[in-house]
Amino acid sequence: MRRYNPKEIEPKWQDRWSQDKIYSATDFDENNPKYVMLTEFPYPSGDGLHLGHVREYALGDIMARYKRMTGHNVLYPMGYDAFGLPTENFAIKNKIAPQVATERNIGNFRKQFNSLGFSFDWDRSFSTTDPSYYKWTQWLFLKFYDAGLAYQDETTINWCPKCKTGLANEEVVNGRHERCDTLVEKKTLKQWLLKITEYADRLIDGLEDIDYPSRVADQQINWIGRSKGAEVIFMLENGESVTVFTTRPDTLFGATFIVLAPEHPLIESITTSDHKASVNSYIKSAQSKSEIERQDTSREKTGVFTGAYAINPVNGEKTPVWIADYVLYGYGTGAIMAVPAHDERDFEFANKFNLPVKQVVAWAESDTHNPPLPGMQEVERDTVIVHLQDKSTGMFAILNWHESLEGITTAIMGGIEDGQTPEDAVRSEISEEAALDNIKIKNTAQWITISRYCASHKNQNRKAITRAFLAEIDNLELQREISQSEQKIHTLNWVEKSEVINSLTPTHQKYVWEQLWSEKPFTGEGEMINSGEYNGMSSSDAREKIVKDLEAKGLGKEKTTYKLRDWIFSRQHYWGEPIPIIHCQNCGVVPVPDSQLPVELPPVDHYEPTETGESPLSLIEEWVNVKCPKCDSPAKRETDTMPNWAGSSWYYLRYFDAHNENEFANKEKLEYWGMVDMYLGGMEHTTLHLLYSRFWHQFFYDQGLVPTPEPYNSRRGQGIILAADGSKMSKSKGNVINPNEVINAGYGADALRVSIAFIAPYDQTTPWNPEGVAGTYRFVSRLWNLTYEYIESKNEGTKSSPELLSLMHRTIAKVSRDLHEMGFNTAVSTLMEYVNALYKLKVEDKFEPKEWKEAIKVLLQLSAPFVPHVTEELWEVIGQEDSIHLSVWPIHNEDYLISDTVKIIVQVNGKVRANIEAPKGISEKEVIDLAENNEKVATYISNQEIKKIVYVTNKLINFVI
């Protein structure tokens, strides 16, 4: 038998595929449906591909190959996102031009891609650094400019003093530049910005019509941060005023402090002298944090008091004014009213700084078991609900009610009588209903709740305003005999803590139990309390009424705000697309004419950033100094460059027409390829990159440049591969795994690809298992050996095997379904089971069934997306013409999926000891015989007295011994 040797067959087929160009997509294919499989193109660093790259591209390749075989005209392209700081810093450090470094890195990536057998359409490849590509990036930027969506403005940016460049928020981690670990500063510079805020609503609403998992869509929605609410004016003691934005104006009566963003301009004038030092220190600290960090809800809240007070416009109360970095100046008004009873961030802040908490909205519901009756007067009553626990057993008291409340179970409860405190009422009710006196009140629920019900014995409806308590009794032996009158109306029972929630009947009682153990504020809708004239209104109605009343006084108005801010589009470095703008003293800002595009980066000797914060391009006078395209007078080029997000915001469209010199893409080709069908990429890019890209595409659609309003029909995010010890792979730790190491160790690309697919569900983060690739290599070897054993048997047989046909068609159905649902790991598992089952049949039947050739063909075809090299080789060896990757995916026959057998679970004393397969309809006696003769079962029942046998037809048999 010929030995499996990946070092021999993989280069062979990689060369053949390259020569034959079998993966080239066809424009305007009328016979097959199109399918665009897109994976994020990589940044070609000098380190080459790592396993994180391999996971994304291998899974994308599996999908692309599967879709080709199912009759699709598949476009699976690859390019390079090569502008940006990493290459520029590498160039500075190694004194090499970024262009040269990029070319070398791309060459290395291309070799690695080929060694992994990826089925890319290389005829459509490009780099964002190619002038022929960024010519169109510049052209598209000018479309934004012409539409008024690209503009210059003074703005505060993240500034790295070491790299001397502005940074996007995502480039700042823990207050430091993620690349060089330098503490980031804030700096005000004149910057180019894109008005992404103009598309904020469209970016949210567009998600309804595309297939994005909720974790992806929610990240985008949260980043945009659309909030409908009101702006409310608080007057300050010094005569100034502060306008806050709130989504919950119904909670105004519960505002116990005001919080300003550290950048708020009012801070300087309102901070009292004795708080100046602490305020200034806090502001400086806040400036080092990125907005992403400041919005991290898991971070401990920090803040400082200004010494100033504002007047609450609805109740006239003095409200202290604080500063906290969780409030952003660019969101809303940069000031909020803090309502700790009804907002988690405010609640954490209030608890840390010991600030007042005032509830103004209460959970409210009508009892479904005993609802209020129409026509009856409603009487308001203060009540208590108390959960009493027996300290010795941990059990809780539950009342089973009789008479008019027959069938209802509750905690101990009752009204607060005149002259009683709630605590008095707790002790009184426990004494009456449980005959216990020496109780301790352990906890009081933070929030009041409201319940409405019919008190038929009083001929009235009641509105119960409830305070909940947890009480404890040390010794039940001190319990008195419960009175006959109490026993007549209810029975006292004790249940485990885990049983309490299901023992309680009314929804109100269940809610109170859960809330008793909660340490969070009440953030939902409800009924107004502690809110003056608005008491008793629903919070939604009160919200509208309060805003209208404030508008009438000139102290408020409705408002929709967004966290999203315009996209800072300038970078003060060399290695990026030059912004195609000329500054003329006479004409002002002048776009570079289309005929002069691209504005190419000039070759320079030094790429170091300048001390002034300007781009290194500003020092190249012969490039900077030009004539104005409008008036021909002396002018200067814009020296800031675009962020690397620019080229990645539209690259997918260029794949449709990669080398068009006359337009960014041909209209007919754009219409043919349409939306990207599946976009696979890292979860770290599902917010900003995806948001930027969708913004560009929606703008292109408005301009009539593309035929669809959204770029990607489906988006999925693959999980990260961690180091074997569960830590993140990084160069500094020396634990990054280069795929070449695995391939060159003798395992080959196919075994690595299967290992990547098999390691875990594609969207889960998982540690790399070095042993895994050895296991998948054994699987590939078994597939190879099985095929060769079949070939060398030279006997296809004449008899038919229903068992083989059933196995084959079940496998086709399962693998097809798994691949359709991107269940890569389960598909591999099914293929492994198929190989094992075929080996078993081979031993038993000696290749006699005539369906063996078809079974082997099916095995190779189903495995082809995962192991393209070995299946291509074996496809040729068994005499098939053309490439296996252009063959037709097998289709299962439903008739063979109907099983004539059942699996019966065998238990001994309720514990599973075996599974046996038996014909459908088998008698109980036959099942008993099969089970008793099973070796595993016999171990447990031999020499034992069988007291009872329980049999569930076709499902289970249990021996009780």
Side-chain angles (χ1 to χ4, degrees):
M1 181 189 299
R2 181 182 166 197
R3 180 175 172 270
Y4 170 54
N5 183 2
K7 291 183 177 180
E8 172 192 330
I9 66 170
E10 290 182 354
K12 166 189 171 181
W13 289 108
Q14 289 158 11
D15 291 342
R16 183 86 63 86
W17 294 332
S18 179
Q19 292 168 13
D20 296 345
K21 295 188 175 181
I22 68 169
Y23 304 127
S24 294
T26 304
D27 293 319
F28 312 115
D29 184 342
E30 297 180 356
N31 300 316
N32 301 293
K34 66 90 182 176
Y35 191 87
V36 181
M37 179 67 230
L38 183 68
T39 47
E40 291 175 346
F41 58 170
Y43 194 97
S45 68
D47 301 306
L49 293 173
H50 54 70
L51 286 187
H53 292 117
V54 177
R55 189 180 203 190
E56 177 181 342
Y57 304 132
L59 299 183
D61 190 61
I62 291 167
M63 288 298 296
R65 290 180 180 278
Y66 166 64
K67 288 294 183 179
R68 283 193 198 94
M69 294 176 72
T70 54
H72 292 78
N73 178 27
V74 174
L75 171 55
Y76 185 41
M78 181 49 59
Y80 305 96
D81 185 19
F83 272 131
L85 272 177
T87 298
E88 182 171 288
N89 290 339
F90 179 85
I92 293 170
K93 182 178 179 180
N94 296 280
K95 302 188 184 304
I96 181 175
Q99 292 89 337
V100 174
T102 297
E103 186 176 353
R104 290 179 185 175
N105 295 342
I106 287 176
N108 183 42
F109 268 56
R110 176 70 181 264
K111 288 179 183 177
Q112 289 183 292
F113 280 136
N114 287 335
S115 71
L116 288 156
F118 295 146
S119 59
F120 296 131
D121 182 351
W122 286 114
D123 289 340
R124 299 171 186 258
S125 186
F126 58 82
S127 168
T128 56
T129 58
D130 297 338
S132 60
Y133 177 81
Y134 70 72
K135 166 186 177 178
W136 299 107
T137 306
Q138 293 173 336
W139 182 81
L140 292 167
F141 171 84
L142 292 176
K143 292 296 180 186
F144 282 105
Y145 179 79
D146 292 340
L149 295 179
Y151 66 100
Q152 267 189 310
D153 195 13
E154 292 275 345
T155 188
T156 302
I157 64 170
N158 301 310
W159 178 259
C160 175
K162 180 178 180 181
C163 297
K164 295 182 173 59
T165 190
L167 304 173
N169 282 330
E170 64 277 1
E171 294 172 308
V172 181
V173 177
N174 296 325
R176 296 179 178 274
H177 184 186
E178 65 168 350
R179 295 288 180 185
C180 67
D181 203 39
T182 301
L183 196 64
V184 169
E185 302 172 353
K186 296 292 184 181
K187 190 166 187 173
T188 301
L189 289 175
K190 196 170 188 180
Q191 300 280 284
W192 282 95
L193 298 96
L194 295 186
K195 285 187 180 180
I196 190 172
T197 51
E198 293 284 323
Y199 281 74
D201 289 324
R202 288 261 301 272
L203 289 167
I204 292 175
D205 298 341
L207 292 168
E208 296 179 4
D209 301 321
I210 49 183
D211 176 20
Y212 287 16
S214 58
R215 65 174 184 157
V216 173
D218 289 348
Q219 281 188 14
Q220 298 208 356
I221 292 169
N222 293 338
W223 185 262
I224 295 167
R226 179 171 65 187
S227 298
K228 294 181 180 180
E231 286 186 348
V232 180
I233 298 173
F234 281 69
M235 300 305 297
L236 296 162
E237 289 183 312
N238 68 352
E240 296 183 271
S241 65
V242 58
T243 301
V244 306
F245 172 76
T246 176
T247 60
R248 295 290 303 268
D250 52 305
T251 64
L252 254 167
F253 283 84
T256 56
F257 56 103
I258 300 292
V259 184
L260 306 182
E263 303 86 358
H264 201 289
L266 271 176
I267 292 173
E268 185 174 352
S269 61
I270 67 170
T271 301
T272 59
S273 57
D274 53 335
H275 290 88
K276 285 282 186 187
S278 58
V279 165
N280 291 338
S281 176
Y282 184 80
I283 291 173
K284 186 175 181 180
S285 172
Q287 287 176 341
S288 67
K289 298 180 177 69
S290 72
E291 289 187 9
I292 292 177
E293 291 175 86
R294 287 169 60 174
Q295 294 178 77
D296 182 0
T297 56
S298 64
R299 190 171 61 90
E300 184 180 1
K301 300 297 178 288
T302 62
V304 64
F305 179 43
T306 64
Y309 289 85
I311 306 302
N312 190 318
V314 294
N315 58 17
E317 291 183 357
K318 286 179 61 175
T319 309
V321 181
W322 284 68
I323 302 169
D325 61 9
Y326 72 82
V327 179
L328 304 177
Y329 187 60
Y331 173 56
T333 63
I336 66 164
M337 63 176 210
V339 187
H342 305 291
D343 181 274
E344 288 193 24
R345 292 181 313 171
D346 299 343
F347 186 66
E348 291 174 18
F349 194 93
N351 283 340
K352 179 171 180 179
F353 294 101
N354 198 29
L355 295 167
V357 178
K358 180 182 178 183
Q359 184 183 6
V360 293
V361 179
W363 182 94
E365 188 171 292
S366 293
D367 184 7
T368 56
H369 294 273
N370 193 24
L373 294 178
M376 285 191 179
Q377 179 186 10
E378 181 178 271
V379 176
E380 189 173 295
R381 191 180 190 215
D382 289 327
T383 65
V384 295
I385 290 177
V386 54
H387 282 279
L388 176 63
Q389 185 177 29
D390 174 14
K391 186 177 181 181
S392 62
T393 64
M395 301 182 83
F396 284 81
I398 292 291
L399 296 179
N400 292 343
W401 291 83
H402 313 311
E403 298 182 341
S404 62
L405 297 179
E406 183 69 37
I408 293 177
T409 55
T410 70
I412 294 169
M413 61 182 186
I416 303 174
E417 305 300 337
D418 290 342
Q420 277 189 326
T421 66
E423 290 76 12
D424 291 338
V426 166
R427 293 183 173 88
S428 174
E429 293 300 330
I430 292 175
S431 179
E432 289 178 13
E433 297 177 355
L436 290 165
D437 296 316
N438 298 316
I439 63 102
K440 297 176 184 176
I441 295 176
K442 302 292 291 184
N443 187 31
T444 305
Q446 186 121 20
W447 316 120
I448 292 170
T449 57
I450 294 174
S451 176
R452 287 180 168 84
Y453 61 95
C454 176
S456 56
H457 63 294
K458 297 288 186 179
N459 198 32
Q460 62 184 213
N461 293 326
R462 282 185 175 174
K463 172 184 174 182
I465 301 174
T466 303
R467 292 161 176 81
F469 294 85
L470 173 64
E472 184 180 79
I473 182 70
D474 285 336
N475 190 354
L476 276 180
E477 292 180 2
L478 298 177
Q479 185 178 27
R480 296 175 281 104
E481 183 176 350
I482 299 176
S483 70
Q484 291 295 319
S485 60
E486 290 294 330
Q487 291 184 44
K488 184 179 178 182
I489 60 176
H490 57 68
T491 301
L492 179 68
N493 293 317
W494 295 87
V495 300
E496 299 284 352
K497 182 178 180 181
S498 60
E499 298 172 358
V500 172
I501 188 71
N502 293 323
S503 300
L504 300 169
T505 307
T507 304
H508 178 236
Q509 291 267 336
K510 292 177 183 290
Y511 177 79
V512 166
W513 167 258
E514 293 178 335
Q515 187 254 327
L516 187 63
W517 304 96
S518 173
E519 296 180 355
K520 293 184 177 181
F522 174 58
T523 58
E525 301 284 352
E527 185 171 319
M528 301 295 291
I529 60 174
N530 300 323
S531 297
E533 63 184 282
Y534 306 98
N535 282 346
M537 296 179 68
S538 70
S539 53
S540 57
D541 289 344
R543 191 151 50 242
E544 294 183 16
K545 180 73 164 57
I546 288 173
V547 172
K548 286 181 181 178
D549 291 347
L550 288 172
E551 283 180 329
K553 299 175 183 177
L555 293 173
K557 62 180 180 180
E558 289 186 354
K559 184 78 173 181
T560 299
T561 65
Y562 306 85
K563 289 181 182 177
L564 183 69
R565 290 192 286 175
D566 283 344
W567 175 6
I568 297 174
F569 206 67
S570 292
R571 297 293 183 271
Q572 294 71 41
H573 54 69
Y574 169 78
W575 193 232
E577 301 93 334
I579 293 176
I581 292 292
I582 291 171
H583 299 277
C584 173
Q585 288 185 341
N586 299 325
C587 305
V589 175
V590 181
V592 172
D594 291 355
S595 61
Q596 295 180 22
L597 298 178
V599 178
E600 293 193 40
L601 281 171
V604 294
D605 295 326
H606 301 287
Y607 313 100
E608 290 83 358
T610 66
E611 294 298 328
T612 62
E614 295 180 284
S615 162
L617 291 172
S618 63
L619 303 178
I620 309 171
E621 293 186 4
E622 62 273 20
W623 184 84
V624 172
N625 295 320
V626 293
K627 290 187 176 181
C628 174
K630 277 189 176 181
C631 69
D632 209 35
S633 60
K636 293 183 180 294
R637 292 191 187 278
E638 173 62 58
T639 59
D640 280 357
T641 53
M642 300 184 196
N644 62 323
W645 299 103
S648 65
S649 289
W650 73 280
Y651 74 107
Y652 58 96
L653 294 169
R654 190 62 173 175
Y655 287 139
F656 300 161
D657 194 10
H659 306 297
N660 191 329
E661 296 181 359
N662 301 315
E663 52 191 339
F664 85 102
N666 174 267
K667 184 177 181 180
E668 286 72 26
K669 292 183 180 180
L670 289 169
E671 288 177 350
Y672 171 73
W673 290 109
M675 294 175 72
V676 169
D677 293 279
M678 174 57 69
Y679 190 13
L680 182 65
M683 280 300 295
E684 68 273 18
H685 296 144
T686 53
T687 302
L688 295 179
H689 159 62
L690 211 55
L691 206 62
Y692 294 157
S693 185
R694 292 181 59 229
F695 162 49
W696 277 47
H697 193 96
Q698 289 180 1
F699 170 72
F700 298 162
Y701 181 72
D702 291 347
Q703 297 293 306
L705 298 174
V706 294
T708 63
E710 287 284 342
Y712 317 114
N713 181 59
S714 298
R715 169 74 189 204
R716 298 292 184 270
Q718 85 279 352
I720 297 170
I721 292 185
L722 305 171
D725 62 1
S727 63
K728 190 170 183 179
M729 290 189 186
S730 69
K731 289 184 294 181
S732 62
K733 294 180 180 178
N735 59 2
V736 175
I737 298 175
N738 187 314
N740 291 33
E741 299 172 14
V742 180
I743 294 172
N744 296 335
Y747 292 117
D750 282 345
L752 176 58
R753 290 167 59 105
V754 177
S755 183
I756 290 288
F758 186 56
I759 193 170
Y762 79 94
D763 57 349
Q764 290 187 10
T765 293
T766 184
W768 173 246
N769 179 9
E771 304 298 324
V773 72
T776 55
Y777 176 80
R778 288 192 294 272
F779 161 68
V780 178
S781 298
R782 280 171 62 80
L783 184 154
W784 173 278
N785 294 337
L786 179 65
T787 306
Y788 259 94
E789 287 177 20
Y790 158 73
I791 295 167
E792 293 174 357
S793 73
K794 298 179 181 178
N795 178 14
E796 295 182 12
T798 56
K799 73 175 184 179
S800 181
S801 169
E803 186 178 354
L804 177 59
L805 288 172
S806 177
L807 169 67
M808 181 174 70
H809 286 279
R810 288 200 312 270
T811 303
I812 294 171
K814 179 66 163 60
V815 173
S816 300
R817 183 171 64 251
D818 285 343
L819 282 177
H820 179 73
E821 298 172 354
M822 296 179 69
F824 305 106
N825 61 320
T826 53
V828 170
S829 178
T830 301
L831 289 170
M832 290 176 172
E833 292 172 2
Y834 186 46
V835 168
N836 291 338
L838 288 177
Y839 260 107
K840 182 180 178 182
L841 288 175
K842 174 182 74 70
V843 172
E844 293 175 354
D845 294 336
K846 300 179 182 178
F847 288 114
E848 288 185 8
K850 64 181 181 181
E851 292 88 3
W852 262 101
K853 183 174 183 180
E854 188 64 23
I856 294 297
K857 284 177 61 179
V858 164
L859 170 63
L860 297 180
Q861 287 179 300
L862 298 182
S863 303
F866 300 92
V867 286
H869 305 91
V870 70
T871 52
E872 189 78 286
E873 178 74 12
L874 294 173
W875 191 251
E876 182 182 69
V877 169
I878 66 173
Q880 299 298 310
E881 297 181 0
D882 299 324
S883 170
I884 190 173
H885 304 297
L886 301 181
S887 67
V888 178
W889 188 260
I891 299 174
H892 70 272
N893 186 329
E894 291 284 346
D895 293 341
Y896 290 105
L897 304 187
I898 302 172
S899 177
D900 294 325
T901 62
V902 291
K903 284 189 177 180
I904 297 175
I905 298 169
V906 183
Q907 295 179 337
V908 178
N909 284 351
K911 293 186 178 180
V912 176
R913 298 305 184 187
N915 289 293
I916 58 175
E917 192 166 299
K920 277 185 178 177
I922 187 172
S923 69
E924 180 176 351
K925 183 179 183 305
E926 290 173 313
V927 172
I928 293 172
D929 290 341
L930 280 174
E932 288 180 335
N933 290 313
N934 182 279
E935 290 183 8
K936 293 180 180 177
V937 178
T939 302
Y940 294 95
I941 65 175
S942 294
N943 302 319
Q944 298 288 331
E945 179 188 352
I946 299 176
K947 296 182 177 180
K948 185 179 180 182
I949 297 176
V950 179
Y951 177 58
V952 180
T953 305
N954 289 331
K955 292 183 179 180
L956 176 146
I957 186 166
N958 181 28
F959 294 93
V960 181
I961 61 174

